[in-house]
């Protein structure tokens, strides 16, 4: 059992025709190790508030004063519900429903596939109903992959199901797309060439 | 040109090679069919129309004023597009800070509670041209690696010429044959975690290599960066988040 009840629907996977279900709780680095934060202090010794100054210097924008959205060329705001997911050709893609509570086919993958993967979030799992065959596969170090979508949107993420001595985890993220390097050729990625210009924390 | 990275191999030989962030699968863009749209940030309210300002001007119970007029809307400003902005700091009184602030470092426990405050110590980057990342010899099978750590960032290593191609191909081949990754360390003895930017987050870097099964001349060397092991948080961290950090009394 997790330390306090999980609120979301369970993660349900189907492995070799048998269904297993897990409670899940999102965890992050700060929850495991704690964290360090740097606090700027004003001359009175109190923490400063971060804000934005508009480019023309006319407006101080405190948190909550800025919003964002999509607009057409005439400046009309487009309600979020009217927006579609579009593929590179501009064609609409279908809405992907949430996978929570819905059995998802889990398939074993090779370890290198699990490493060519960018993890966006980690969930600690506690089994509600665990099929013995899945239990055995996880115990032997099998890594399973299944589709994952927390809420309905236009893109299902991918999840990996793993177990180690510490527990069972669901890693949610997206596959990486590395290329092969060849003798007289290296892949050209569409990204800024100098990592020093970028906030590395943003990746 | 990609950013350069300095590496040693299993024999302790070093080479200057290139690195780049590996691209990943992307989400579909949002829009409308056959109608262009653009994403914009805009002003939603101003300081003069905030709850605090309205309370000061109209009293705590200003709901009737909202019904009778629109004091919460600044028609001149609300809706204005913000093409760009710069980050600034405001004092606790809401004034723009015109001088660099004093900075303290707060240490928060896994439960989110503040444990300590101290003077921050600047940590320089240690991934640079002068000192190579060292092959520590600590190897971990790929299956164990994928189940023990979480990797949010992955860097691909490339050759820059024929000599470095041979160097990296041999490295990739060795790791591929052994089905393991090797821990790379920074600093003079290779014992430090990798820090890519001054005061940046320290990462454990594991180098894995593969050879294309259909073409043994093609390789893939990936440096997997981790700042988190896969383990449960202490029980007190799995409780609802605490109140924000209280300021120090001056």
């Amino acid at each position: 059992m997790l330390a306090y009840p999980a609120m979301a629907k369970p993660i349900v996977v189907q492995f070799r025709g048998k269904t297993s279900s897990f409670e899940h709780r999102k965890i992050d680095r700060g929850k495991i190790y704690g964290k360090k934060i740097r606090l700027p202090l004003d001359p009175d010794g109190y923490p400063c508030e971060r804000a934005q100054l508009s480019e023309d210097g006319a407006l101080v924008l405190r948190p909550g004063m800025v919003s964002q959205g999509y607009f057409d060329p005439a400046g009309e705001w487009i309600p979020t519900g009217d927006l579609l997911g579009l593929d590179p050709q501009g064609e609409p893609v279908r809405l992907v429903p949430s996978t929570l509570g819905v059995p998802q086919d889990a398939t074993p993958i090779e370890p290198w596939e699990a490493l060519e993967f960018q993890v966006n979030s980690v969930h600690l799992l506690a089994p509600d109903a665990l099929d013995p065959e899945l239990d055995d596969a996880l115990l032997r170090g099998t890594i399973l992959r299944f589709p994952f979508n927390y809420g309905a949107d236009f893109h299902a993420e991918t999840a990996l199901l793993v177990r180690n001595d510490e527990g069972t985890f669901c890693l949610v993220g997206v596959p990486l797309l590395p290329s092969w390097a060849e003798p007289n050729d290296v892949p050209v990625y569409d990204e800024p060439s100098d990592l020093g210009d970028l906030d590395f924390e943003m990746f | 040109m990609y950013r350069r990275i300095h590496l040693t191999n299993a024999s302790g030989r070093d080479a200057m090679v290139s690195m780049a962030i590996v691209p990943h699968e992307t989400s579909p863009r949002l829009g409308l069919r056959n109608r262009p749209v653009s994403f914009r940030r805009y002003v939603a309210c101003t300081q003069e129309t905030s709850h605090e300002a309205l309370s000061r001007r109209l009293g705590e119970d200003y709901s009737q004023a909202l019904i009778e007029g629109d004091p919460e809307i600044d028609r001149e400003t609300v809706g204005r597009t913000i093409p760009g902005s710069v980050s600034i700091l405001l004092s606790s009184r809401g004034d723009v800070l015109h001088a660099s602030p004093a900075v303290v470092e707060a240490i928060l426990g896994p439960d989110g509670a503040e444990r300590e405050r101290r003077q921050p110590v600047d940590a320089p980057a240690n991934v640079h041209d002068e000192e190579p990342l060292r092959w520590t010899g600590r190897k971990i099978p790929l299956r164990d690696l994928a189940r023990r750590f979480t990797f949010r960032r992955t860097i691909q290593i490339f050759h820059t010429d024929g000599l470095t191609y041979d160097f990296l191909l041999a490295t990739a081949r060795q790791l591929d044959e052994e089905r393991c990754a090797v821990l790379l360390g920074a600093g003079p003895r290779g014992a430090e975690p990798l820090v890519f930017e001054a005061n940046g987050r320290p990462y454990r870097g594991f180098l894995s290599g593969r050879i294309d099964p259909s073409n043994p001349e093609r390789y893939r060397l990936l440096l997997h960066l981790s700042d988190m092991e896969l383990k449960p948080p202490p029980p007190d961290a799995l409780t609802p988040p605490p109140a924000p950090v209280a300021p120090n009394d001056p």
Side-chain angles (χ1 to χ4, degrees):
Chain A
M1 282 292 290
L2 299 172
Y4 67 108
M7 300 301 288
K9 288 182 183 173
I11 291 173
V12 184
V13 295
Q14 202 154 32
F15 179 63
R16 293 178 185 155
K18 307 271 181 54
T19 300
S20 298
S21 168
F22 299 88
E23 276 184 49
H24 53 104
R25 172 73 50 200
K26 197 171 175 181
I27 59 172
D28 58 35
R29 186 178 193 281
K31 288 195 175 94
I32 295 174
Y33 306 109
K35 59 185 172 185
K36 290 189 292 191
I37 52 171
R38 290 195 169 194
L39 294 173
L41 302 179
D42 70 11
D44 297 327
Y46 286 96
C48 297
E49 183 185 9
R50 292 182 195 279
Q52 300 286 312
L53 183 66
S54 61
E55 232 171 26
D56 58 6
L59 284 171
V60 172
L61 300 160
R62 299 174 72 162
M65 289 183 181
V66 176
S67 195
Q68 57 193 30
Y70 287 83
F71 293 81
D72 71 9
E76 285 292 318
W77 174 69
I78 312 292
T80 308
D82 292 356
L83 292 166
L84 303 169
L86 300 175
D87 67 15
Q89 287 71 43
E91 292 300 315
V93 298
R94 69 180 180 86
L95 189 71
V96 184
S98 169
T99 58
L100 294 181
V102 182
Q104 302 296 311
D105 280 333
T107 50
I109 58 168
E110 292 295 321
W112 65 264
E113 292 179 275
L115 291 167
E116 293 186 359
F117 187 76
Q118 177 177 293
V119 177
N120 294 331
S121 62
V122 180
H123 297 253
L124 174 64
L125 303 184
D128 278 335
L130 182 57
D131 170 57
E133 207 171 344
L134 175 62
D135 189 30
D136 184 52
L138 291 173
L139 210 58
R140 285 187 282 105
T142 304
I143 302 165
L144 298 163
R145 179 171 58 199
F146 60 96
F148 184 93
N149 211 23
Y150 199 92
D153 61 17
F154 295 103
H155 182 234
E157 288 186 288
T158 299
L160 306 181
L161 181 60
V162 298
R163 181 187 290 172
N164 60 25
D165 295 341
E166 303 277 354
T168 307
F169 301 88
C170 171
L171 313 179
V172 179
V174 287
L176 295 174
L177 305 169
S179 304
W180 296 104
E182 300 185 50
N184 296 309
D185 193 19
V186 294
V188 178
Y189 292 151
D190 184 19
E191 65 173 358
S193 59
D194 188 355
L195 298 182
D197 290 344
L198 302 172
D199 178 1
F200 207 76
E201 298 297 320
M202 294 295 289
F203 289 107
Chain B
M1 279 291 290
Y2 293 126
R3 183 170 156 177
R4 311 259 279 173
I5 187 168
H6 195 176
L7 292 179
T8 64
N9 65 6
S11 317
R13 301 284 171 85
D14 64 310
M16 193 73 81
V17 290
S18 298
M19 66 176 182
I21 297 282
V22 184
H24 57 77
E25 198 179 279
T26 54
S27 304
R29 66 187 167 88
L30 289 178
L32 296 175
R33 196 171 191 177
N34 303 324
R35 190 168 152 208
V37 297
S38 57
F39 182 76
R40 293 185 207 165
R41 293 167 70 223
Y42 60 92
V43 179
C45 75
T46 62
Q47 300 212 59
E48 290 70 33
T49 58
S50 66
H51 168 68
E52 293 77 17
L54 291 174
S55 308
R56 269 198 308 274
R57 189 149 50 96
L58 304 168
E60 269 303 316
D61 186 13
Y62 57 81
S63 53
Q64 193 57 38
L66 297 184
I67 294 165
E68 289 169 1
D70 290 320
E72 80 281 20
I73 299 173
D74 177 344
R75 292 175 195 278
E76 288 294 315
T77 311
V78 167
R80 257 177 64 178
T81 300
I82 307 167
S85 60
V86 292
S87 294
I88 56 169
L89 293 171
L90 304 179
S91 72
S92 54
R93 295 175 190 170
D95 303 323
V96 175
L97 229 60
H98 294 286
S100 295
V103 176
V104 292
E105 193 168 70
I107 311 297
L108 309 183
D111 57 354
E114 187 174 335
R115 301 280 164 86
E116 184 192 345
R117 278 195 187 192
R118 64 189 185 193
Q119 286 302 310
V121 178
D122 285 336
N126 59 15
V127 181
H128 44 61
D129 288 0
E130 291 93 60
E131 199 76 62
L133 297 184
R134 296 185 190 278
W135 179 287
T136 62
R138 287 180 61 187
K139 292 179 184 163
I140 178 166
L142 297 183
R143 189 173 295 281
D144 293 345
L145 187 67
R147 295 184 306 126
R148 277 184 53 191
F149 297 92
T150 157
F151 298 99
R152 290 178 192 275
R153 296 154 181 85
T154 302
I155 284 172
Q156 187 161 2
I157 311 289
F158 304 117
H159 56 277
T160 52
D161 52 33
L163 285 176
T164 52
Y165 166 77
D166 291 339
F167 177 88
L168 295 182
L169 181 71
T171 302
R173 181 170 291 128
Q174 179 184 350
L175 293 171
D176 193 16
E177 286 169 357
E178 295 178 13
R179 294 282 189 269
C180 67
V182 65
L183 177 68
L184 296 186
R189 300 174 60 188
E192 298 168 16
L194 282 47
V195 180
F196 285 81
E197 294 180 335
N199 297 324
R201 181 170 289 189
Y203 290 98
R204 292 287 171 196
F206 296 90
L207 187 67
S208 74
R210 289 183 66 217
I211 300 293
D212 185 352
S214 62
N215 181 351
E217 292 203 328
R218 304 205 307 173
Y219 73 91
R220 193 180 277 173
L221 265 179
L222 300 179
L223 179 57
H224 308 279
L225 302 176
S226 177
D227 64 354
M228 180 176 152
E229 296 160 281
L230 281 175
K231 63 180 188 180
D236 58 352
L238 286 173
T239 53
V245 175
N248 264 356
D249 280 337

